[in-house]
Amino acid sequence: MQEIDFCRVGGIRVGHAQDQEAATGCTVVLCESGATAGVDVRGGAPGTRETDLLRPENLVQQIHAVLLTGGSAFGLDAAAGVMAYLEERQIGFAVQVTHVPIVCGAALFDLSFGDHRIRPDREMGYRACMNAGDRSIAIGSIGAGTGATVGKICGMGRAMKGGIGAAAVEVGPLRVGALVAVNCLGDVVDPDSGRILAGLRSEDGRRVCGTENVLLDNVGNPTNLFNGNTTIGVTVTNGLFTKAEMTKMASMAHNGLARTLRPAHSMFDGDTIFALSTGTVRADLSTVGMLAARMVERAVVAAVRRAGSLGGLPGHGERRLGQYSTL
């Protein structure tokens, strides 16, 4: 098993666009030749686009892009720019008079971090497509990860910076990768050591103290208001699979979130993972799903390790913060 760049999985290009001052942005995964896709939405508060099309019994068999965006539901407007970019190139589902690109998407909530009046829109989505390439991609506080934050259960003042990360591997001819924008309610944990990499800080801001402890202290208080959450991502393989099998791959990939986010899939997150099949390599689905989960783990860790400080919130690189084990 050898690590590779995410775009080397094949059949995709990735582009970012963002507004650093407003602390929001979007990321697009273009699969212009078409990709068989599935999705699994686990969070209790999702913001998604065109996910019903991915149900195995529905007509459309391939999609042409996945949008990961900030701006909550407002940010899904960026999909219009992605569709315009693809239609101009006659990419999409042929309907005689034009081509209708199939653009799926998911949004994370970053409105409370930057300028809530500025959200990803048609222009930003189009710009992300213009920026798309098939080589090594930037990660951290960029694209959909620009306004991403983690550890917000006690308010934004004690949170840390999240971001977007990527990871991919090849095993013989098989390639599997993941791209994840990390914006969770809780903490991000290194699955190997159990150490918190980023999350809720102590009141003095010098230690990472653990979201699960706060949840346990308030087990009888259901009125806490959690906002600003959701982790969204895309897994890709050059394996040959059906829509139903891609739905299963997306489901297995969520294991990577469960092993790195504490907690994952809360009622106040909209955790969503898409899965794309872009190739012709025959492979065992269980093995590919296992690899997808591992790549999600690595992408989550990469996202917070590379996230730079922004808007007064420290990133993982702020070494003055103590690091503590989870429960």
Side-chain angles (χ1 to χ4, degrees), residues 150-324:
V150 302
K152 293 161 282 192
I153 194 170
C154 293
M156 197 61 72
R158 292 172 60 183
M160 290 182 65
K161 193 67 185 67
I164 192 165
V169 292
E170 62 180 3
V171 183
L174 177 69
R175 296 175 178 179
V176 181
L179 179 72
V180 183
V182 182
N183 186 62
C184 58
L185 163 71
D187 310 315
V188 176
V189 177
D190 182 334
D192 295 326
S193 67
R195 295 281 181 173
I196 298 175
L197 300 176
L200 174 67
R201 292 180 292 151
S202 58
E203 292 187 13
D204 63 9
R206 298 183 63 84
R207 295 181 298 110
V208 179
C209 50
T211 296
E212 289 183 331
N213 296 321
V214 175
L215 286 171
L216 289 172
D217 289 342
N218 292 275
V219 68
N221 180 13
T223 62
N224 286 334
L225 298 177
F226 310 142
N227 57 38
N229 311 312
T230 294
T231 295
I232 52 180
V234 182
T235 57
V236 185
T237 180
N238 67 343
L240 177 63
F241 296 103
T242 65
K243 287 173 70 175
E245 289 170 326
M246 282 296 90
T247 300
K248 182 61 177 177
M249 176 175 163
S251 176
M252 294 183 69
H254 270 280
N255 292 335
L257 296 187
R259 293 195 286 258
T260 53
L261 307 183
R262 299 289 189 275
H265 311 131
S266 82
M267 287 300 293
F268 306 95
D269 290 290
D271 298 342
T272 299
I273 293 181
F274 295 92
L276 306 179
S277 167
T278 63
T280 59
V281 175
R282 296 192 176 276
D284 174 67
L285 178 60
S286 294
T287 303
V288 174
M290 176 270 292
L291 289 172
R294 286 193 182 183
M295 292 308 101
V296 168
E297 287 182 41
R298 294 184 186 182
V300 169
V301 169
V304 296
R305 286 191 184 277
R306 293 289 294 276
S309 301
L310 186 70
L313 293 187
H316 169 76
E318 297 284 341
R319 293 297 183 182
R320 70 175 183 272
L321 292 170
Q323 301 201 2
Y324 291 79

Side-chain angles (χ1 to χ4, degrees), residues 63-142:
I63 71 170
H64 306 98
V66 174
L67 170 73
L68 305 178
T69 183
S72 189
F74 296 110
L76 293 172
D77 282 350
V82 181
M83 291 191 68
Y85 175 90
L86 292 170
E87 185 187 22
E88 288 173 2
R89 290 154 180 79
Q90 297 185 327
I91 295 170
F93 189 76
V95 292
Q96 296 183 339
V97 294
T98 188
H99 290 76
V100 179
I102 308 302
V103 179
C104 299
L108 58 81
F109 190 106
D110 57 9
L111 299 177
S112 58
F113 179 51
D115 187 342
H116 73 276
R117 298 166 298 179
I118 298 176
R119 304 92 180 235
D121 56 11
R122 179 189 176 101
E123 184 277 330
M124 189 180 286
Y126 191 94
R127 182 155 43 95
C129 294
M130 292 296 293
N131 292 336
D134 58 2
R135 298 183 182 275
S136 180
I137 61 172
I139 61 174
S141 298
I142 193 171

Side-chain angles (χ1 to χ4, degrees), residues 29-52:
V29 179
L30 298 174
C31 34
E32 291 144 299
S33 297
T36 304
V39 66
D40 191 344
V41 182
R42 295 280 182 92
T48 56
R49 183 184 193 277
E50 297 282 42
T51 52
D52 282 350

